[in-house]
Amino acid sequence: MYIIAIAWLYVTVLMAATEKTITAGVLTFVFYGLLPCALLLWILGVNHRRRKKYVKELGNNLGNDNVHEPDSTHTETDE
């Protein structure tokens, strides 16, 4: 998804570079590139942030603070 955003920003930079004045170029980049890209990434990232928050709350409610520690129940060595 980020490669599409980077490509779109590249296209808008090229569009802004062809404008006659610097002000028109900056406004073209901001309104055609930066704001739509930021809005799209923010909207598409809502589910990821919501899921991440849910998993964090679920872990805190279950008391699983030591998730990444080995349980040491398997005492034999793997060969």
Side-chain angles (χ1 to χ4, degrees), residues 4-22:
I4 295 170
I6 292 168
W8 179 248
L9 289 175
Y10 176 73
V11 168
T12 56
V13 165
L14 292 179
M15 288 173 52
T18 62
E19 294 290 341
K20 294 182 185 197
T21 64
I22 293 175

Side-chain angles (χ1 to χ4, degrees), residues 9-77:
L9 289 175
Y10 176 73
V11 168
T12 56
V13 165
L14 292 179
M15 288 173 52
T18 62
E19 294 290 341
K20 294 182 185 197
T21 64
I22 293 175
T23 305
V26 168
L27 291 176
T28 298
F29 177 70
V30 168
F31 288 114
Y32 284 140
L34 200 59
L35 289 178
C37 240
L39 182 65
L40 180 70
L41 292 175
W42 180 74
I43 289 172
L44 293 177
V46 168
N47 286 336
H48 175 71
R49 287 190 304 271
R50 188 178 299 143
R51 189 177 318 117
K52 189 175 175 182
K53 182 180 175 183
Y54 174 74
V55 168
K56 182 179 177 184
E57 288 177 359
L58 184 65
N60 288 342
N61 290 340
L62 294 176
N64 292 338
D65 295 331
N66 303 333
V67 173
H68 298 291
E69 293 181 11
D71 61 355
S72 66
T73 57
H74 184 69
T75 58
E76 297 176 7
T77 59

